[in-house]
């Protein structure tokens, strides 16, 4: 008698798990379809981005600043929901991505600061960076072009300016009108 109750309990548990798995699969499929459709009933294009190495322009920018801008930019772009994937410059997987944009960054202005002067007086010693960003299609068509600033004015290391700059670049891309439509159709220029 106890064996048949045990078998019945096990069979009921297995049936319950099977039902839950079947329902969760249906719900997952419905939520995936709901996420992929846009507001007008069509599916929105998900873009990936490849971040090119930082171009120092004609400035004598330390290599550590170039690398810090690049690394912070990759990390900040990974945090934004605009891109399906974020690729590094030279990543072979980027060539297989169906909808790929390339982000080019050129340093236009650099004012080296002094951590010591910032700590002593809060009115001098700011580190300032100004870059020109271009978001391009594979074919080289410019989708977005902006001038973005980053700085550190009060406390923090000079490299903190690169983090602030990367955050401002990601914010600019996130707020651009092409990212709302999902289609890179217009050239947007400006400064943040």
């Amino acid at each position: 008698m106890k064996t048949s109750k045990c078998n019945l309990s096990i069979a009921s548990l297995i049936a319950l798990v099977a039902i839950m798995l079947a329902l969760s699969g249906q719900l997952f499929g419905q939520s995936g379809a709901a996420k992929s459709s846009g507001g007008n009933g069509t599916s929105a294009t998900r873009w990936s981005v490849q971040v090119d190495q930082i171009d120092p322009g004609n400035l004598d920018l330390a290599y550590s600043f170039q690398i810090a801008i690049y690394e912070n930019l990759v990390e900040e772009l990974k945090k934004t929901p605009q891109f399906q994937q974020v690729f590094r410059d030279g990543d072979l997987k980027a060539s297989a991505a169906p909808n790929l944009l390339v982000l080019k960054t050129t340093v236009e202005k650099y004012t080296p600061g002094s951590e010591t002067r910032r700590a002593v007086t809060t009115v001098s010693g700011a580190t300032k960076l100004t870059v020109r960003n271009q978001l391009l299609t594979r074919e080289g068509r410019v989708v977005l072009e902006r001038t973005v600033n980053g700085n550190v004015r009060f406390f923090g290391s000079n490299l903190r300016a690169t983090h602030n700059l990367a955050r401002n670049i990601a914010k600019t891309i996130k707020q651009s009108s092409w990212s709302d439509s999902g289609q890179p159709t217009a050239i947007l220029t400006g400064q943040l």
Side-chain angles (χ1 to χ4, degrees):
M1 186 77 162
K2 287 186 179 183
T3 305
S4 64
K5 279 188 177 180
C6 185
N7 289 340
L8 183 62
S9 296
I10 292 173
S12 298
L13 182 61
I14 291 172
L16 182 64
V17 170
I19 291 170
M20 288 176 46
L21 288 174
L23 288 177
S24 68
Q26 288 177 348
L27 292 175
F28 178 77
Q30 290 172 353
S31 65
K35 286 181 182 178
S36 67
S37 66
N40 59 2
T42 61
S43 63
T45 303
R46 291 287 314 256
W47 291 87
S48 295
V49 65
Q50 176 182 322
V51 181
D52 277 0
Q53 290 293 329
I54 306 303
D55 180 4
N58 58 1
L59 300 174
D60 186 26
L61 184 66
Y63 191 66
S64 61
F65 266 83
Q66 294 175 46
I67 295 300
I69 293 169
Y70 181 79
E71 292 299 327
N72 283 316
L73 190 52
V74 168
E75 289 305 312
E76 289 297 320
L77 289 174
K78 284 181 180 179
K79 292 178 187 177
T80 66
Q82 264 58 39
F83 299 111
Q84 185 173 353
Q85 288 184 294
V86 177
F87 297 105
R88 294 174 174 273
D89 193 13
D91 191 339
L92 298 177
K93 295 178 200 169
S95 60
N99 299 313
L100 183 71
L101 296 172
V102 178
L103 180 64
K104 295 187 179 288
T105 305
T106 305
V107 180
E108 292 184 337
K109 293 180 190 173
Y110 168 62
T111 305
S114 168
E115 293 176 44
T116 306
R117 288 175 72 191
R118 278 194 305 274
V120 175
T121 68
T122 58
V123 294
S124 65
T127 301
K128 300 176 185 176
L129 284 163
T130 302
V131 299
R132 181 175 44 94
N133 281 104
Q134 289 184 316
L135 202 54
L136 303 114
T137 62
R138 248 185 248 258
E139 297 79 29
R141 187 170 54 104
V142 177
V143 175
L144 176 71
E145 183 171 359
R146 293 281 169 102
T147 301
V148 182
N149 299 310
N151 59 49
V152 59
R153 293 189 183 273
F154 300 113
F155 298 106
S157 72
N158 288 335
L159 289 178
R160 179 75 179 165
T162 64
H163 172 74
N164 294 341
L165 175 69
R167 190 179 61 227
N168 289 344
I169 291 169
K171 181 179 170 183
T172 300
I173 292 171
K174 186 177 179 180
Q175 292 176 347
S176 66
S177 63
W178 82 266
S179 63
D180 292 337
S181 66
Q183 298 295 326
T185 55
I187 298 174
L188 302 169
T189 60
Q191 182 172 357
L192 175 71

